[in-house]
Amino acid sequence: MGARSLKAILDTSVLVATDIPPLDGELAISAATLAELHFGVLVATDLAVRAERLRRLSALQGTFEPIPVDEDVATSYGRLAAAVVASGRQPRSRVMGLLVAATAHAHSARLYTRNAEDLTGIEHLVEIVPV
C-alpha cells in the first residue's frame, strides 16, 4: 500500500500563479478562494485579462469542489485572527487569506501558498508550505 496522501488547501496565490510545480497531497480549495477569483474577473478592465481570468476560474470550478466556509471554518478563522493579533499584526488586511488558512485549519490540512509572510503568527496552528 502507498504512502497516505496528506490533505492540502491551495491558496489563491498558488492558483493564479503560472509557475507552480506539481504539488503533493489530496488537493482542495476553499469557497473563499472562489470569491477572490470571481472578484478578480469582475474588476478586470482589460477584456483579454478578464477572459483569461474567467477561463482559469471556469477550469478550477470544473476541477475542484470548493470546501464551504461553514461554522467550523468560522471558528478556525476566529482563532487564527486572534493569533495574528497576538503576534502584533492586524488581521483586517488579511481576511481572505485567513479564511483560506482557516479552511485548512478546520480540515486538518496543510496550506500551500506563495504569501507565507502574510500568515505570520499562525504557523503554530496551520502547516504553511511556501511554494
Side-chain angles (χ1 to χ4, degrees):
M1 185 176 281
R4 184 178 160 276
S5 179
L6 234 68
K7 285 191 235 175
I9 302 295
L10 301 173
D11 183 49
T12 309
S13 63
V14 171
L15 293 170
V16 299
T18 58
D19 60 344
I20 301 294
L23 301 170
D24 293 330
E26 177 188 335
L27 305 176
I29 64 171
S30 171
T33 292
L34 283 185
E36 288 187 291
L37 295 173
H38 277 285
F39 174 71
V41 169
L42 294 172
V43 298
T45 55
D46 181 275
L47 292 179
V49 170
R50 181 180 287 177
E52 176 56 20
R53 288 180 181 180
L54 183 58
R55 183 199 65 75
R56 291 184 80 176
L57 172 60
S58 296
L60 289 169
Q61 287 178 304
T63 303
F64 295 101
E65 181 68 34
I67 298 173
V69 176
D70 58 12
E71 187 174 345
D72 290 337
V73 173
T75 299
S76 288
Y77 172 83
R79 189 168 176 196
L80 298 181
V84 169
V85 170
S87 74
R89 304 178 84 201
Q90 290 300 312
R92 189 170 305 274
S93 65
R94 299 168 177 82
V95 170
M96 295 307 283
L98 285 173
L99 277 172
V100 175
T103 304
H105 181 264
H107 292 274
S108 301
R110 64 175 45 166
L111 176 65
Y112 287 121
T113 183
R114 294 187 67 135
N115 300 326
E117 65 282 352
D118 287 349
L119 302 169
T120 298
I122 67 167
E123 305 89 339
H124 62 290
L125 298 169
V126 178
E127 181 185 357
I128 298 168
V129 181
V131 292

